[in-house]
């Protein structure tokens, strides 16, 4: 999908409360796929949606 920039402190989006996901639809799946691509590009272990500027309660985790 797409690699998105990862926000760092003191970016205000990292201090805001993310909204619950009530239904997994195509927009949520698109965000999740983008998060996986971003996580792999950054060689990270976990990523929350607010770290890419999306204020939804979505996380992705990659275990070795």
């Amino acid at each position: 999908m797409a690699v998105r920039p990862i926000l760092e402190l003191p970016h205000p989006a990292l201090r805001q409360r993310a909204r619950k996901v009530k239904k997994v639809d195509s927009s949520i799946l698109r965000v999740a796929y983008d998060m996986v691509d971003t996580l792999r590009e950054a060689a990270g272990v976990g990523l929350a949606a607010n770290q890419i500027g999306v204020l939804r309660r979505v996380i992705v985790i990659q275990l070795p």
Side-chain angles (χ1 to χ4, degrees):
M1 301 266 59
V3 175
R4 297 191 187 192
I6 297 176
L7 305 179
E8 296 180 7
L9 287 175
H11 196 282
L14 298 174
R15 298 285 184 196
Q16 294 179 353
R17 186 178 181 107
R19 295 179 299 161
K20 290 182 182 180
V21 174
K22 295 183 181 184
K23 181 181 177 187
V24 178
D25 57 10
S26 62
S27 67
I28 295 296
L29 288 176
R30 189 174 326 110
V31 167
Y33 287 129
D34 288 352
M35 290 172 63
V36 169
D37 290 342
T38 303
L39 180 67
R40 288 183 179 154
E41 180 71 23
V45 176
L47 186 69
N50 64 335
Q51 290 177 285
I52 62 167
V54 178
L55 294 176
R56 300 300 296 239
R57 292 185 192 175
V58 178
I59 63 167
V60 293
I61 299 171
Q62 182 173 351
L63 300 175

